[in-house]
C-alpha cells in the first residue's frame, strides 16, 4: 500500500449541523412529516456542507484528510448494524436478506411499541451516549447496510476523497454486552474471529467505493474501565489487525486510539501491526510513547489539538510535541486532533454575543481544524512558515492569564480557610432518626426533578430572551407551570414532589447563568445522544454566587402543597463535566469553588423552609478516568466537593443525589462516600442489574433504582415496573427503597409521562400491599 497519509487531519467533525439541521430532520422523520427519501436528501446536503467547510478550512480534496463521520444517531450503532449485530427482537424489521433498513436502525435506537431499545451509556469519559450492542454466541455477522460505502461514493461524486471512519472491531465488541440469555461467562469479544471477515468485506466495499484510507477507531485500547483485562484487549487487537492488514482489496488503514494514552501492550501491538498509520492522543498522554521498530513503515498522527475542550491552547507547545514525536521512529509524522471534534461546537464565529476578549481565547471545531492546518504547514514547511500564527496564539494565552476574574482573591481566601470538618455531616444514623419527622411512607415515590419541557415553555423562554415577554410575565408563566406540575403530582399520588424545573433550559447552564466565572453560548450545541444536544457553558474564571439561584422557585412550589417539595441543585462534578472547564488549574480546585457556591444555596433553601434537597451528580461516573492509576485521586476530589457542597445541611434536612448510568458497581464505594441520605439511580434499561450491585455492596442509605426508562417514549406497564420494584424490595432492606423514574422527564411528552407515572404509582401500591406496608 503506497498511498501516503496527509500531513494534517481531524479524527471527526460535529455531525448535527451548525444549526442542528440533523436534529430537525430526523425528528420530522420520526414524527412522520418527512419521509425517508426526504431525510436522506437533507442528510446528504449536510454532509456536502461539511465537506465544503472543511475544504475552506484547509483540509485537502483528494488526500483523505477529510473524515466522513456522519451518523443519523450514533457511530456505535452504525458499526453494529453494518455487521448485522442487532438483537433478535429486531429481526422482524430486517429485510429478507438480513439487511438493516433505516427503520430498524431507528427502532434499535429508540424502541417502539413493544421492543426495548438498546441500552445507552456514556462513551468513554465523555458526555456523549452510545448505544450498547447486544451480542450472543449465535449472533450472525454479515454486511447489513452499505451506508459507509455510499457516503464515500457520494463524496467522490463531488470530487472529494473522504476517509470513512468506523468503530473498530475490538472496540465494537468491547463495548457490547452479552445478549439476554447468553450463557454465563460468555463475552462478546469471544466472537472476534467471526466478526473479522465481515470487517474485511466492509473494508473491501469502502475500497470499491473509492476510499484510499479508512479510519478504524479503537478507543477501547486506552481504557482500563471496560471490565476487560488490558492484555485481552491487546491480544484481540493483535489478531484483528493481523487479519484486517492481510485483507485483500482494502484501503490503507489508520487505527485511531483517542481519549488517552494507549496501554503499553496495546501500543506495542499496534506499532507492530500490518496497518499503515496510527493516531494517538497526545493531548491527554502528554508525551510520546516509546519508539518501536514496527513504526518504520507507518505514519504516526499526533493528536496534539484537544478535541474535547474549547480553549485555543498553547500552539507552540503542540508544535514542540509533534517535533518530539519524530523520535518514535515512524516513517512520517502528521498532526491530528486528540479525538473526534464531535465533542465541541462548530464555530466561535457563531457567538457574536461572547465578550470578544474571551472569544479570542477560544477554539471550537472550525478553529481547531484551522489549527491542524497550521501545524501541518509547520510540519511540511518548517516552524518559520507558521511563526505569525504561533505568536498570535501565544499572545491570546498571555492575555488570558492576566485577565480580571480569572483569579478572585476572595474566593481563594475562603477556600484556603476551610477546615477538614467542613465536608462532614453527622453520622447517618443520627440524621435518619432526625428525618423520620418527615413522615414518609414505605417505598416513597418521587421523580428526578424535571417535568416535560413543552413547546409552550420553550416558546415563553424564547419570548423572554427576545424581550417580548417581560420578567414579570415570564415569572407569572413559570408560576402557573409550577402550579400545574404540583397539581398533577398531587393527583397522581406521588409522595415527594418537585417543582418541575421549567425555568431551566438546562440543568448546568441554568447555574452557569447565575454564577460568576461562566459564559454561555448561543449556538454552541454538542450532541449528547441521537437528536439531543446540549449547549455546555464555558467556565473561564473563579466561581462565586452573587445571589440565590433557586430559592424563589422552590419556596413558591412548597407553598402550593402540604407534601414536601424537593429543592433541586446540580452538583459540582456535573457542573464541571457538562461545561467546558478552564484548563489552567486542577479540576479539583474548580470543583471546590462551585461546591462553596452550592453550599450557600443549600443554606438559603433550608432557611426558606425546604426540608429535602437533591444535588444531582449524574456525571460522577462519566468523569472517572479511564486509567486505574488516575481513579483514586479523581474519586477523592469529586466526593470531597460533593460533601463540601452538602455538609452544611442540618441533620433533619434530607439530602438526595441522583446518578444516571448503569455501571453502578465500579464507583459504588464513592457513591457511599458521597453520604447522601437518598440516591436515585438509572436502572431500567439494564433491567435492574444495578440492584444486585447495590445489594452486594451493603449500601445502607436510601436508594431509588429507576423503574421507568425515560430515554424512550415507551410507557412501561404496571407489571414491568412491579417486577423491577419487587426485585429491589426482595434484595434490599425495604426501608431503604425509593420508587422513581431513571432520570428527569424534561425530554418526554406529557401523555406518556402521565401514563408512566400512573403505572409507577399503581405498581408501588401493589408491592406495598404485598409486603404489608
Ligand atoms: N434533576 C434533573 C432533571 O430531572 C436531573 C437530570 C439528569 O440526571 N440528567 O432533569
Ligand atoms: Zn439522570
Amino acid at each position: 500500500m503506497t498511498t501516503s497519509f496527509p500531513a494534517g487531519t481531524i479524527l471527526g467533525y460535529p455531525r448535527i449541523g451548525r444549526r442542528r439541521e440533523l436534529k430537525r430532520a430526523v425528528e420530522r422523520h420520526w414524527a412522520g412529516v418527512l419521509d425517508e427519501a426526504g431525510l436522506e436528501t437533507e442528510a446528504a446536503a449536510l454532509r456536502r456542507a461539511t465537506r465544503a467547510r472543511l475544504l475552506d478550512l484547509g483540509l485537502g480534496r483528494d488526500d483523505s484528510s477529510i473524515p466522513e463521520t456522519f451518523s443519523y444517531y450514533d457511530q456505535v450503532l452504525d458499526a453494529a448494524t453494518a455487521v448485522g449485530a442487532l438483537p433478535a427482537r429486531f429481526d422482524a424489521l430486517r429485510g429478507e436478506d438480513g439487511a438493516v433498513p433505516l427503520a430498524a436502525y431507528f427502532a434499535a435506537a429508540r424502541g417502539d411499541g413493544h421492543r426495548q431499545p438498546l441500552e445507552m451509556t456514556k462513551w468513554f469519559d465523555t458526555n456523549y451516549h452510545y448505544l450498547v450492542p447486544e451480542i450472543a454466541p449465535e449472533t450472525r455477522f454479515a454486511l447489513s447496510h452499505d451506508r459507509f460505502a455510499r457516503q464515500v461514493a457520494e463524496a467522490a461524486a463531488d470530487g472529494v476523497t473522504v476517509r470513512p471512519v468506523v468503530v473498530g472491531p475490538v472496540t465494537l465488541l468491547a463495548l457490547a454486552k452479552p445478549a439476554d440469555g447468553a450463557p454465563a461467562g460468555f463475552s462478546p469479544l469471544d466472537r472476534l474471529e467471526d466478526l473479522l471477515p465481515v470487517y474485511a468485506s466492509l473494508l473491501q466495499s469502502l475500497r470499491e467505493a473509492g476510499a484510499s484510507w479508512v479510519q478504524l477507531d479503537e478507543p477501547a485500547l486506552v481504557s482500563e474501565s471496560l471490565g476487560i483485562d488490558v492484555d485481552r484487549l491487546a491480544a484481540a487487537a493483535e489478531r484483528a489487525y493481523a487479519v484486517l492488514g492481510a485483507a485483500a482489496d482494502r484501503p490503507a488503514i489508520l487505527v485511531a486510539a483517542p481519549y488517552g494514552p494507549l496501554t503499553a501492550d496495546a501500543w506495542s501491538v499496534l506499532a507492530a501491526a500490518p496497518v499503515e498509520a496510527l493516531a494517538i492522543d497526545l493531548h491527554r498522554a502528554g508525551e510520546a510513547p516509546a519508539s518501536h521498530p514496527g513504526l518504520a513503515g507507518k505514519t504516526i498522527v499526533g493528536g496534539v489539538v484537544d478535541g474535547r475542550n474549547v480553549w485555543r491552547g498553547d500552539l507552540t507547545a503542540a508544535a514542540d510535541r509533534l517535533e518530539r514525536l519524530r523520535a518514535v521512529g515512524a516513517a512520517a509524522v502528521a498532526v491530528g486532533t486528540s479525538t473526534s471534534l464531535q465533542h465541541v461546537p462548530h464555530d466561535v464565529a457563531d457567538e457574536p454575543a461572547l465578550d470578544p476578549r474571551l472569544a479570542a481565547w477560544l477554539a471550537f471545531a472550525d478553529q481547531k481544524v484551522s489549527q491542524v492546518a497550521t501545524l501541518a504547514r509547520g510540519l511540511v514547511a518548517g516552524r518559520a512558515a507558521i511563526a505569525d500564527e504561533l505568536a498570535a496564539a501565544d499572545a491570546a494565552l498571555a492575555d488570558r492569564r492576566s485577565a480580571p476574574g480569572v483569579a478572585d482573591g476572595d474566593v481563594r481566601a475562603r477556600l484556603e480557610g476551610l477546615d477538614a470538618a467542613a465536608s462532614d455531616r453527622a453520622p447517618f444514623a443520627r440524621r435518619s432518626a432526625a428525618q423520620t419527622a418527615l413522615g414518609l411512607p414505605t417505598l416513597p415515590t418521587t421523580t428526578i426533578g424535571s417535568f416535560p419541557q413543552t413547546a409552550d415553555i420553550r416558546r415563553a423562554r424564547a419570548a423572554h430572551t427576545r424581550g417580548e415577554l417581560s420578567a414579570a410575565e415570564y415569572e407569572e408563566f413559570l408560576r402557573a407551570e409550577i402550579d400545574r406540575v404540583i397539581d398533577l403530582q398531587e393527583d397522581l399520588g406521588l409522595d415527594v414532589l418537585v417543582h418541575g424545573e421549567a425555568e431551566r433550559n438546562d440543568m448546568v447552564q441554568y447555574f452557569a447563568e447565575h454564577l460568576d466565572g461562566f459564559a454561555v453560548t448561543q449556538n454552541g450545541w454538542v450532541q449528547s445522544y441521537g437528536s439531543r444536544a446540549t449547549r455546555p457553558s464555558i467556565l473561564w474564571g473563579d466561581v462565586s454566587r452573587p445571589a440565590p439561584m433557586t430559592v424563589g422557585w422552590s419556596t413558591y412550589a412548597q407553598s402550593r402543597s402540604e407534601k414536601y417539595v424537593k429543592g433541586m441543585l446540580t452538583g459540582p462534578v456535573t457542573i464541571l463535566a457538562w461545561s467546558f472547564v478552564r484548563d489552567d488549574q486542577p479540576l479539583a480546585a474548580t470543583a471546590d469553588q462551585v461546591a462553596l457556591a452550592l453550599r450557600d444555596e443549600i443554606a438559603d433553601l433550608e432557611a426558606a423552609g425546604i426540608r429535602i434537597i437533591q444535588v444531582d451528580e449524574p456525571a460522577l461516573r462519566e468523569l472517572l478516568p479511564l486509567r486505574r492509576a488516575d481513579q483514586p485521586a479523581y474519586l477523592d476530589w469529586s466526593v470531597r466537593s460533593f460533601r463540601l457542597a452538602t455538609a452544611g445541611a442540618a441533620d433533619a434536612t434530607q439530602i438526595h443525589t441522583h446518578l444516571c448510568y448503569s455501571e453502578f458497581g465500579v464507583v459504588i464505594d464513592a457513591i457511599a462516600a458521597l453520604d447522601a441520605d437518598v440516591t436515585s439511580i438509572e436502572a431500567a434499561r439494564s433491567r435492574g442489574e444495578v440492584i444486585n450491585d447495590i445489594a452486594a455492596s451493603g449500601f445502607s442509605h436510601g436508594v431509588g433504582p429507576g423503574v421507568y426508562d425515560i430515554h424512550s417514549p415507551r410507557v412501561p406497564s404496571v407489571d414491568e415496573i412491579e417486577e423491577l420494584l419487587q426485585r429491589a424490595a426482595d434484595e434490599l432492606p425495604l426501608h431503604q427503597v425509593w420508587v422513581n423514574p431513571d432520570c428527569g422527564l424534561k425530554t418526554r411528552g406529557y401523555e406518556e409521562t402521565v401514563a408512566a407515572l400512573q403505572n409507577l404509582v399503581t405498581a408501588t401500591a401493589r408491592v406495598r400491599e404485598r409486603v404489608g406496608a
Side-chain angles (χ1 to χ4, degrees):
M1 205 85 29
T2 52
T3 334
S4 68
F5 195 80
T9 191
I10 56 173
L11 297 191
Y13 188 74
R15 55 218 185 185
I16 56 177
R18 297 170 82 83
R19 293 293 179 274
R20 290 182 298 160
E21 293 85 347
L22 184 63
K23 170 195 181 66
R24 302 225 170 76
V26 294
E27 289 182 353
R28 268 157 50 226
H29 176 62
W30 295 337
V33 293
L34 181 67
D35 65 8
E36 192 170 317
L39 177 62
E40 297 273 17
T41 305
E42 296 212 11
L46 190 57
R47 289 190 291 266
R48 172 170 295 136
T50 295
R51 292 191 297 267
R53 181 74 181 149
L54 292 175
L55 285 170
D56 277 353
L57 292 169
L59 297 188
R61 180 174 285 279
D62 49 20
D63 62 1
S64 301
S65 59
I66 296 185
E68 179 50 83
T69 48
F70 175 82
S71 176
Y72 273 121
Y73 202 100
D74 167 45
Q75 68 260 21
V76 177
L77 185 63
D78 294 338
T81 49
V83 300
L86 270 187
R89 62 183 179 278
F90 298 102
D91 281 354
L93 300 176
R94 296 175 72 156
E96 261 171 45
D97 49 355
V100 178
L102 201 54
Y105 174 93
F106 284 137
R110 310 175 65 230
D112 61 14
H114 48 290
R115 292 180 193 90
Q116 291 258 15
L118 298 185
E119 193 180 318
M120 191 159 57
T121 194
K122 301 258 168 154
W123 170 251
F124 298 90
D125 56 350
T126 77
N127 184 26
Y128 173 75
H129 303 67
Y130 71 94
L131 290 159
V132 182
E134 296 171 25
I135 290 183
E138 60 280 355
T139 300
R140 262 179 304 108
F141 296 123
L143 268 195
S144 303
H145 72 67
D146 60 356
R147 294 192 169 280
F148 290 113
R150 274 196 276 145
Q151 290 170 17
V152 171
E154 169 190 286
D158 264 2
V160 182
T161 306
V162 291
R163 184 178 80 247
V165 179
V166 185
V167 171
V170 177
T171 296
L172 182 67
L173 293 176
L175 296 182
K177 62 186 263 178
D180 273 351
F186 168 77
S187 133
L189 209 50
D190 299 345
R191 300 292 315 280
L192 184 67
E193 283 309 313
D194 305 319
L195 179 61
L196 292 175
V198 184
Y199 263 80
S201 319
L202 176 63
L203 296 191
Q204 193 179 354
S205 74
L206 297 173
R207 179 79 200 121
E208 278 162 13
S212 305
W213 282 86
V214 62
Q215 174 181 324
L216 294 171
D217 284 340
E218 292 288 12
L221 301 176
V222 312
S223 180
E224 293 175 333
S225 297
L226 296 171
I228 306 175
D229 285 344
V230 294
D231 31 344
R232 179 151 195 232
L233 287 169
E238 183 167 22
R239 176 66 188 150
Y241 290 98
V243 171
L244 297 182
D249 304 324
R250 64 170 176 84
I253 297 175
L254 164 68
V255 179
Y259 304 105
L262 282 159
T263 63
D265 286 354
W267 168 244
S268 16
V269 160
L270 290 183
V275 299
E276 289 68 34
L278 302 178
I280 58 173
D281 181 343
L282 271 190
H283 183 78
R284 278 284 170 89
E287 282 317 312
S291 68
H292 193 287
L295 294 167
K298 292 188 177 69
T299 296
I300 184 133
V301 185
V304 293
V305 173
D306 186 5
R308 302 279 302 274
N309 216 327
V310 292
W311 302 104
R312 185 166 173 178
D314 189 338
L315 210 55
T316 304
D320 291 344
R321 272 192 203 150
L322 284 175
E323 248 0 282
R324 289 198 294 276
L325 190 56
R326 295 196 193 274
V328 298
V333 170
V335 53
T337 49
S338 63
T339 67
S340 165
L341 296 173
Q342 74 178 104
H343 308 295
V344 296
H346 274 268
D347 194 352
V348 179
D350 284 339
E351 302 300 335
L354 272 188
D355 175 349
R357 187 164 184 184
L358 171 62
W361 307 339
L362 300 176
F364 292 177
D366 287 1
Q367 286 69 40
K368 285 171 188 285
V369 179
S370 299
Q371 290 188 323
V372 163
T374 298
L375 291 168
R377 255 189 310 122
L379 281 174
V380 174
R383 200 61 84 94
I386 57 168
D388 290 351
E389 287 90 341
L390 294 181
D394 286 347
L397 207 57
D399 180 59
R400 181 177 159 202
R401 273 192 212 107
S402 62
V406 170
D408 174 333
D410 292 346
V411 172
R412 294 186 178 211
R414 185 173 171 205
L415 271 173
E416 267 155 36
L418 287 175
D419 60 37
S423 327
D424 294 332
R425 292 185 81 194
F428 178 65
R430 208 168 96 196
R431 280 151 33 207
S432 74
Q435 291 162 25
T436 52
L438 294 170
L440 297 171
T442 304
L443 300 175
T445 55
T446 190
T447 61
I448 305 303
S450 57
F451 267 69
Q453 288 258 333
T454 58
D456 274 357
I457 297 176
R458 284 196 298 269
R459 259 195 303 275
R461 182 181 305 128
H464 174 53
T465 310
R466 284 195 305 267
E468 292 160 20
L469 202 63
S470 71
E473 287 165 331
Y474 184 51
E475 167 133 3
E476 193 186 331
F477 170 88
L478 290 172
R479 287 188 171 212
E481 191 61 32
I482 290 176
D483 292 347
R484 251 177 17 81
V485 167
I486 295 284
D487 288 350
L488 172 63
Q489 295 172 87
E490 300 254 16
D491 289 349
L492 285 165
L494 289 162
D495 300 311
V496 172
L497 311 192
V498 296
H499 77 282
E501 301 180 25
E503 78 285 6
R504 301 185 191 174
N505 42 357
D506 172 275
M507 66 185 286
V508 171
Q509 189 177 338
Y510 179 81
F511 291 93
E513 281 168 353
H514 287 81
L515 290 168
D516 285 345
F518 285 87
V520 296
T521 68
Q522 288 174 295
N523 292 302
W525 296 99
V526 172
Q527 186 182 22
S528 166
Y529 69 93
S531 67
R532 304 285 179 188
T534 61
R535 221 163 7 138
S537 303
I538 299 172
L539 197 175
W540 60 271
D542 278 355
V543 175
S544 59
R545 186 190 76 140
M549 305 180 281
T550 65
V551 177
W553 304 121
S554 287
T555 48
Y556 177 72
Q558 185 63 81
S559 76
R560 309 296 293 174
S561 179
E562 300 288 299
K563 291 183 169 172
Y564 291 109
V565 179
K566 289 192 272 192
M568 200 59 63
L569 304 175
T570 302
V573 178
T574 301
I575 288 185
L576 263 54
W578 295 353
S579 304
F580 290 115
V581 186
R582 59 194 298 178
D583 56 357
D584 57 351
Q585 69 180 17
L587 284 179
T590 310
D592 281 350
Q593 295 180 359
V594 175
L596 282 185
L598 294 171
R599 187 178 174 105
D600 295 345
E601 184 74 11
I602 291 176
D604 286 344
L605 284 167
E606 283 185 303
I610 301 298
R611 301 287 308 276
I612 305 183
I613 299 170
Q614 180 169 313
V615 180
D616 292 327
E617 281 293 21
L620 183 70
R621 170 69 175 77
E622 170 186 325
L623 277 200
L624 183 72
L626 303 177
R627 300 299 285 266
R628 246 173 243 139
D630 303 330
Q631 293 175 355
Y634 162 73
L635 291 170
D636 195 62
W637 72 252
S638 57
V639 166
R640 192 200 51 232
S641 70
F642 180 91
R643 293 173 64 126
L644 183 58
T646 52
D651 293 356
T653 300
Q654 190 169 67
I655 297 287
H656 288 216
T657 190
H658 164 71
L659 308 157
C660 37
Y661 47 79
S662 18
E663 309 103 85
F664 191 71
V666 200
V667 290
I668 181 100
D669 293 341
I671 291 168
L674 294 178
D675 200 25
D677 298 305
V678 179
T679 301
S680 64
I681 185 157
E682 175 181 335
R685 259 199 192 192
S686 60
R687 277 149 261 158
E689 271 162 33
V690 356
I691 296 167
N692 295 334
D693 292 332
I694 303 167
S697 76
F699 191 66
S700 59
H701 298 17
V703 59
V707 290
Y708 157 30
D709 171 17
I710 60 83
H711 295 98
S712 154
R714 212 178 136 267
V715 173
S717 67
V718 175
D719 288 348
E720 216 175 298
I721 298 178
E722 192 183 346
E723 189 191 318
L724 281 173
L725 190 55
Q726 186 63 50
R727 183 157 156 204
D730 288 344
E731 293 190 29
L732 294 162
L734 204 57
H735 67 266
Q736 271 180 261
V737 181
W738 282 65
V739 186
N740 46 259
D742 261 346
C743 195
L745 302 164
K746 59 177 168 263
T747 59
R748 295 274 59 92
Y750 261 103
E751 203 179 322
E752 71 233 32
T753 294
V754 170
L757 291 178
Q758 238 151 18
N759 291 354
L760 180 148
V761 171
T762 308
T764 306
R766 286 202 201 155
V767 177
R768 277 183 189 149
E769 196 176 302
R770 185 160 335 113
V771 300

